[in-house]
Amino acid sequence: ESAVSGPVGGAVVVATDDGTVSRVLALDVVAGCATTLDTTSDVIRRATIAPDGRSVIESRVDRRSRADLGIWRRGLDGPEVASRWLEPIAADARFGRTWSTDLAWSTTGTELAIQSCGELACRTRVVATATDDVRLLDDPDLGPGIGVADGHLVAYLACRGMPCPIVAVDLRTGSRRTLVADA
């Protein structure tokens, strides 16, 4: 497992795993140095730096079982220990086993999309970081996300092979419109 995010304010966050431990590093691209933020026996599958440069968000799974351990958050400036921010997403037979979890910031940097994908379909939790309010989009016909902009999740529909439609889902109402029929 490995992930990289940034740069934000001259910092890049890197998560690596050697099969025994995961490490999260903050790289200062200007000074050319690295600081270890954490070492854990959990597997850190994804890590992202917040657009304000003040925190790091991580997606973790159990090393042995690969069970979802939730979404973790830590401060970037100091020895703050990571703590669980969001519980693991509940199992849902409509999506099957979660194979990947992706993290993507909205264009405003005020919302984080956390996408848990099965073989074809994905569930997306969109978190307003100022309030920690979570909106779950769990329609089994939604596929991988493209981004969050103007109060909408932009995503492919779940389909085998390409081309696939791209839709915009309103985060308040759940209504959707097709942006591209075959992409």
Side-chain angles (χ1 to χ4, degrees):
E1 304 288 343
S2 64
V4 65
S5 175
V8 173
V12 173
V13 169
V14 177
T16 64
D17 189 88
D18 65 7
T20 304
V21 297
S22 283
R23 288 181 179 77
V24 179
L25 305 162
L27 307 177
D28 183 325
V29 295
V30 176
C33 61
T35 302
T36 300
L37 298 175
D38 195 12
T39 302
T40 178
S41 60
D42 299 335
V43 177
I44 299 174
R45 296 187 94 181
R46 296 283 183 269
T48 184
I49 186 170
D52 65 8
R54 295 178 18 194
S55 61
V56 174
I57 310 295
E58 306 165 359
S59 167
R60 294 183 179 201
V61 298
D62 180 81
R63 183 163 302 280
R64 289 192 180 136
S65 69
R66 292 299 199 247
D68 186 350
L69 297 176
I71 305 299
W72 296 64
R73 180 170 54 184
R74 75 174 55 260
L76 191 58
D77 297 330
E80 181 182 331
V81 175
S83 60
R84 186 166 21 219
W85 183 36
L86 296 175
E87 294 295 320
I89 195 163
D92 187 328
R94 298 175 302 159
F95 296 86
R97 182 179 181 154
T98 296
W99 293 103
S100 68
T101 302
D102 288 318
L103 308 172
W105 291 99
S106 66
T107 55
T108 61
T110 60
E111 297 167 306
L112 179 65
I114 303 160
Q115 192 163 66
S116 302
C117 296
E119 182 180 353
L120 287 177
C122 302
R123 295 175 286 166
T124 304
R125 293 178 283 175
V126 179
V127 183
T129 56
T131 62
D132 290 345
D133 289 337
V134 179
R135 168 78 164 105
L136 174 64
L137 301 171
D138 63 348
D139 296 327
D141 65 339
L142 288 177
I146 296 170
V148 177
D150 295 328
H152 291 81
L153 170 69
V154 178
Y156 287 97
L157 287 183
C159 69
R160 292 193 186 275
M162 295 288 182
C164 296
I166 296 176
V167 297
V169 183
D170 188 299
L171 295 175
R172 290 180 320 278
T173 67
S175 66
R176 68 171 78 163
R177 62 186 162 93
T178 300
L179 300 177
V180 179
D182 294 314

